[in-house]
Each structure stands twice: as C-alpha cells, then as structure tokens.
Amino acid sequence: MTTRLSLRRRLLGRTAAAACLILLVLPLPANAAADPITPGDSYYLHAHTSYGTRGTTYESWLGSDYVLLTNNTGDNGAAWVFDKDGENYRIRQSPGYGAWCTRGNDIKLTDWRTCSTRWTLIPAPDGTWYIRKADTPFYVTNAIADSGSWLKIYTGQDGFREFTRFTFTRAI
C-alpha cells in the first residue's frame, strides 16, 4: 500500500529528474563564452601567428612606447593587467604607467589618465581570442613576418598583416 508521503516523493523525484534533463539539453546563449581573464590580475599575452607563438611587449621609438610582439618564439614578453570597464577592458602595463592607447592604427603606451582605449575580447578558433577596439570594427593585427612585429589595429587582412589570436597566461 502506497502512502501519501511515498507517492509525493516518487512524483517529486520524477519531476526533478525531468527538470535536470531539460536543463542539460538547453543550448547555452551565444555570449556564454567565459572571458579568459580575471580583471585586475596580471597576464602574459601570447600571440598565435602564422610564424609561431610570441609574447607581447613594448619598445620605444621616436620618444614613444609602442606595443609589439617579442622577437623570439616562446618569450613571454611583458605582463599586462586587464581592468574591467563596463563590458570592455582597459589594458595596462604591470607594473607601470602605460595603458594601451590607439593613435591612428598604432597601439601606444600612454599614461592611462591621458588616453586609455577600451577593448573587447572576441572568441577565436582553437581556444584563442581576438582583441578588438570596443565599439569599432578594428582588430589587433600583426605583420606576417618571422620577427618582432608592431601591433596595429585594422579592419581586415591584406596579405601583409593578419588578425592576432591571443591566449592568456597568468603572470607570477
């Protein structure tokens, strides 16, 4: 003989199991890709290019500091901090004063109070990420060459530059 309590348990058990099955088959929203970084922490940005994986760093030229890829594959380069700004990020040197700032197509390091461009992380193939200037069609690109390359922003690839795909490794 079935009591009311045991019948309720059986019904609730079946309902809970059905709800779990429904939750398992629901698709994730299109924007469900979790950001690969924790805001405020330091990361090495590894650029995956047609000629290997390189770190990102900066170098002075004509009195200004510009962001570029390291000359050697496997070199981590400089550490960078991603600060959250709404749905976007501001990228700055860790430690230091420099923040990524676009001037024309160049990416310079400037005092963050003077200029600090906002950036969006976009999922790319093979677990990598594109970095795009927020609210624009401009992506970070690198020259197609087997050496260090100044990072610049462009809307397309022209045979001389390619969209740079990044992975992020927490700096120690």
Side-chain angles (χ1 to χ4, degrees), residues 12 18 20 23 52-53 57 61 75 78-79 81 130 137 149 157:
L12 285 176
C20 288
L23 290 175
T53 302
T57 189
W61 186 69
D75 186 349
V81 174
Y130 294 120
S149 170
Q157 302 178 84

Side-chain angles (χ1 to χ4, degrees), residues 22-133:
I22 290 169
L23 290 175
L24 289 175
V25 297
L26 289 176
L28 292 173
N31 62 353
D35 285 349
I37 55 97
T38 301
D41 288 351
S42 295
Y43 291 88
Y44 296 115
L45 277 70
H46 295 112
H48 299 263
T49 69
S50 59
Y51 51 89
T53 302
R54 309 209 177 214
T56 55
T57 189
Y58 58 94
E59 189 173 298
S60 291
W61 186 69
L62 296 177
S64 294
D65 292 333
Y66 292 88
V67 180
L68 73 158
L69 299 181
T70 60
N71 288 323
N72 302 313
T73 58
D75 186 349
N76 282 330
W80 305 97
V81 174
F82 286 71
D83 294 316
K84 195 77 168 156
D85 184 353
E87 294 297 312
N88 303 300
Y89 296 95
R90 297 187 189 273
I91 304 171
R92 65 179 165 85
Q93 201 178 355
S94 170
Y97 74 94
W100 287 25
C101 173
T102 56
R103 293 281 196 243
N105 293 95
D106 296 325
I107 302 173
K108 296 174 74 172
L109 284 181
T110 62
D111 184 318
W112 64 270
R113 293 170 294 214
T114 306
C115 174
S116 177
T117 303
R118 295 173 349 150
W119 303 92
T120 303
L121 303 179
I122 308 291
D126 302 322
T128 60
W129 294 80
Y130 294 120
I131 299 176
R132 185 183 75 208
K133 185 176 177 182

Side-chain angles (χ1 to χ4, degrees), residues 149-169:
S149 170
W150 302 104
L151 295 178
K152 296 181 177 283
I153 58 168
Y154 285 100
T155 58
Q157 302 178 84
D158 59 6
F160 299 101
R161 300 194 73 76
E162 63 187 351
F163 292 128
T164 310
R165 297 179 302 117
F166 293 95
T167 52
F168 307 89
T169 304

